[in-house]
Amino acid sequence: MKFTCLNKGNGFHLPPCYVLHVSGFRILLDCPLDLSALTVFSPVPADFCPSLLDESSNCSFHESLNMESKSAKRHKIEKPLDAKDLIYAEPWYKTLKNLHIWDPSFIDIVLISSTMGMLGLPFLTRSKGFSAKIYATEATARIGQLMMEDLVSMHMEFRHFYGSEESDSPQWMKWEELELLPSFLREMAIGQDGSELGGWMPLYSSVDVKDCLQKVQKLKYAEAACHNGALVIKALSSGLDIGSCNWTVESPEGNISCLSSSIFVSACAMEFDYRALQGADLILYLDFSSEDVIEDVEHHDNYSSPTTNNLSTLSDEDNWKELNECLLRNDESIEESKKLAFICSCVVDSVKAGGSVLIPLSRLGIVLQLLEQIPISLESSAVKVPIYVISSVAAELLAFTNIIPEWLSKLRQEKLFSGEPLYSHIELMKGKKLYVFPAIHSPNLIANWQEPCIIFAPHWSLRLGPIVHLLRRWCGDRNSLLVLEDGLDADMALLPFKPIAMKVLHCSFLSGIRMTKAQPLLKILQPKIVMVITIQLSSSLCNAILSLSLSLSLSLPPHTTHHHPYTTTHHTPQPFNSVY
């Protein structure tokens, strides 16, 4: 087996991407987009209104903006960034820097583990020569389709403003233009050595999305798919979000488990099915891209797992029971519940003060929980304000979540069996506490508009979608609140809206397996080989991984062999091999 890491990943919004060579097949795991890179672009200028500008006046307007921006860049030296430093052009979208150099015809299989890992797929499927078989869970395929359609819809505002691109290479991508950018923006756009410039591509169309979905084979959890009579592929619940999964691949060379970001006890999604990963010949442990894992270790430098340190004094049956209890403790879910309760309290405080609240979170499970808990908090505080959900796909997405019990947690399934709806948003809509609209200029929204209010709207990059116009409306209101998720450079994201008077709440949600649970997990799974992908890690995390290896009775050999710049393989005659 060969392994090639294309991207190390960066938390929930940018999962890792890599290629496996197994039994003569090349398998690509995930095809995400780096949507955080959109922050190098300016959102559509505040003066723009599609109904008031004809095509000719529109062109002259954005041309004058470009001239002002270029003039400012030419005459300035390095100084703190401001909005004029951003790129004023129709955004292109950043694919993985190493994926665009691959010949698509060389890829045989694509495995999609989450909706975020699907957003770059139409770029691949529309490529000449692409003929790979794509596998995804039914829920991920449907939610991913809606998210891609929403992205296309939001991007149309740029098309209306800037017009259609006449060239395959826009003006901003020319070297003389890139050299005018401040060093920070230039590095974001092209990387330190310029190698990332080729990863930028114009956004796909709705037709591309439709064609892409026709090439996806949709699977249920634990459903076996036989590929060419040589491989057996299964998707197993990861607990990260609705439809997210870990993949297992059975081949003549052995059984491989691809362990991506997972959560043991999930409030919405089906729980992490870790027991189905037992007995694998190789586990690819790719969960170190999550900030939760790194912070968990760096705040506990002297890493150890008290549960597994005392296992030698217990019987095998007691060992097994204690390890499982360790993994299924609800301490993480309690911590996440406290975070949501804190967000709700901040929301209530803002609307009490007369401010409005903007929530551009993209994580479906978190959004669904907030849609349930915020109305409860408002009612307990005797506050009545409308809650709006504004998105071109919001109605379809909310309807879909109420008809998929097999993809949800046991607690949600029990609600269905007791005659209750899976989620409360249907009742809230009937009670006129929650309103869903496809666009910010919808006549029904304008007729129903009321302030203060609470709004869920895309996009989390703060560069496109309804959030741009709403943020401009309230950014100067010190009583209003913006809720952002970690993983985005807040200073860059908020640059076009400065000065900011409104409050900004940064939230970090659990996105992977914490190190304290990795050790007992691997004790249970008992793989023959563990490959851990680690890139640019702190000494604390490196020490924790070494501690994990030692706790599994792994002896490190006197020599190492480097298979890839992102991995180091350790050969050992012991029952386990560690790659880290």
Side-chain angles (χ1 to χ4, degrees), residues 557-573:
H559 66 279
T560 61
T561 303
H562 297 271
H563 283 283
H564 190 272
Y566 298 130
T567 64
T568 303
T569 306
H570 290 269
H571 298 278
T572 172

Side-chain angles (χ1 to χ4, degrees), residues 136-164:
T137 65
E138 294 174 355
T140 291
R142 181 56 180 154
I143 297 170
Q145 178 183 5
L146 292 174
M147 292 181 68
M148 290 186 288
E149 290 174 350
D150 197 30
L151 188 61
V152 171
S153 175
M154 291 185 289
H155 184 85
M156 288 305 298
E157 190 172 21
F158 287 104
R159 291 278 173 88
H160 291 149
F161 181 72
Y162 289 106
S164 301

Side-chain angles (χ1 to χ4, degrees), residues 275-575:
R275 294 181 181 89
L277 302 176
Q278 282 181 278
D281 295 304
L282 169 66
I283 284 185
L284 293 175
Y285 198 112
L286 300 155
D287 201 21
F288 287 109
S289 68
S290 170
E291 292 185 4
D292 312 282
V293 177
I294 298 173
E295 290 176 2
D296 184 47
V297 173
E298 291 181 343
H299 284 85
H300 302 83
D301 288 342
N302 296 321
Y303 169 77
S304 65
S305 177
T307 303
T308 54
N309 286 343
N310 300 322
L311 289 177
S312 59
T313 62
L314 303 175
S315 66
D316 289 341
E317 184 177 347
D318 289 337
N319 280 355
W320 184 264
K321 182 178 179 181
E322 185 165 349
L323 286 169
N324 279 278
E325 288 177 352
C326 173
L327 297 181
L328 298 177
R329 285 176 188 153
N330 63 351
D331 51 335
E332 291 175 349
S333 60
I334 291 174
E335 182 181 337
E336 295 300 290
S337 296
K338 289 180 179 178
K339 292 177 184 177
L340 294 175
F342 179 71
I343 293 173
C344 292
S345 67
C346 293
V347 168
V348 171
D349 290 343
S350 291
V351 295
K352 275 185 175 181
S356 293
V357 180
L358 295 176
I359 305 177
L361 303 181
S362 63
R363 205 158 153 177
L364 182 58
I366 298 297
V367 170
L368 291 172
Q369 290 179 78
L370 287 174
L371 284 175
E372 287 185 327
Q373 296 183 28
I374 287 177
I376 295 173
S377 297
L378 292 173
E379 186 174 350
S380 64
S381 302
V383 177
K384 292 185 178 181
V385 295
I387 301 175
Y388 301 121
V389 180
I390 306 174
S391 166
S392 63
V393 299
E396 290 180 81
L397 192 55
L398 291 177
F400 179 71
T401 58
N402 256 330
I403 59 170
I404 52 170
E406 68 273 23
W407 300 97
L408 304 181
S409 65
K410 292 180 181 178
L411 181 62
R412 296 286 169 181
Q413 293 179 12
E414 288 171 1
K415 292 183 68 173
L416 181 67
F417 297 144
S418 63
E420 301 177 50
L422 293 173
Y423 291 99
S424 62
H425 49 256
I426 291 181
E427 296 301 320
L428 293 172
M429 292 166 67
K430 289 180 179 178
K432 295 186 176 181
K433 296 179 181 180
L434 174 66
Y435 302 87
V436 179
F437 299 102
I440 197 170
H441 50 74
S442 300
N444 290 338
L445 173 59
I446 296 172
N448 189 273
W449 186 257
Q450 179 183 333
E451 293 186 33
C453 58
I454 300 164
I455 298 182
F456 291 80
H459 186 262
W460 59 268
S461 67
L462 308 187
R463 286 300 179 267
L464 71 169
I467 193 67
V468 172
H469 306 282
L470 296 167
L471 190 50
R472 285 191 174 121
R473 182 180 183 89
W474 291 316
C475 64
D477 181 5
R478 66 180 59 193
N479 293 321
S480 291
L481 173 68
L482 172 67
V483 181
L484 292 179
E485 186 173 356
D486 279 354
L488 182 68
D489 186 329
D491 287 336
M492 272 295 297
L494 293 170
L495 192 61
F497 310 99
K498 291 182 177 180
I500 296 283
M502 71 188 307
K503 297 183 287 291
V504 180
L505 177 61
H506 295 265
C507 305
S508 175
F509 301 105
L510 184 63
S511 297
I513 303 171
R514 287 182 170 164
M515 182 62 76
T516 50
K517 290 193 174 182
Q519 190 172 351
L521 173 64
L522 293 178
K523 278 279 190 180
I524 287 177
L525 299 184
Q526 292 289 302
K528 293 179 181 178
I529 302 172
V530 179
M531 180 182 288
V532 179
I533 310 304
T534 60
I535 310 174
Q536 297 177 351
L537 296 180
S538 67
S539 59
S540 299
L541 187 48
C542 289
N543 290 335
I545 295 170
L546 287 172
S547 175
L548 173 60
S549 300
L550 293 172
S551 71
L552 292 170
S553 300
L554 303 179
S555 64
L556 299 182
H559 66 279
T560 61
T561 303
H562 297 271
H563 283 283
H564 190 272
Y566 298 130
T567 64
T568 303
T569 306
H570 290 269
H571 298 278
T572 172
Q574 299 297 322

Side-chain angles (χ1 to χ4, degrees), residues 182-245:
S183 57
F184 180 75
L185 290 181
R186 186 166 59 251
E187 185 171 331
M188 283 187 65
I190 66 175
Q192 292 182 342
D193 57 359
S195 62
E196 298 179 18
L197 181 60
W200 291 93
M201 302 182 72
L203 186 63
Y204 41 74
S205 66
S206 56
V207 174
D208 293 328
V209 174
K210 183 178 180 181
D211 291 343
C212 170
L213 266 294
Q214 290 176 347
K215 298 175 182 177
V216 176
Q217 180 172 337
K218 305 171 185 67
L219 302 176
K220 299 182 183 299
Y221 282 144
E223 177 184 352
C226 184
H227 184 84
N228 280 14
L231 304 180
V232 177
I233 298 171
K234 289 183 183 179
L236 303 170
S237 175
S238 69
L240 178 65
D241 210 350
I242 298 173
S244 297
C245 68

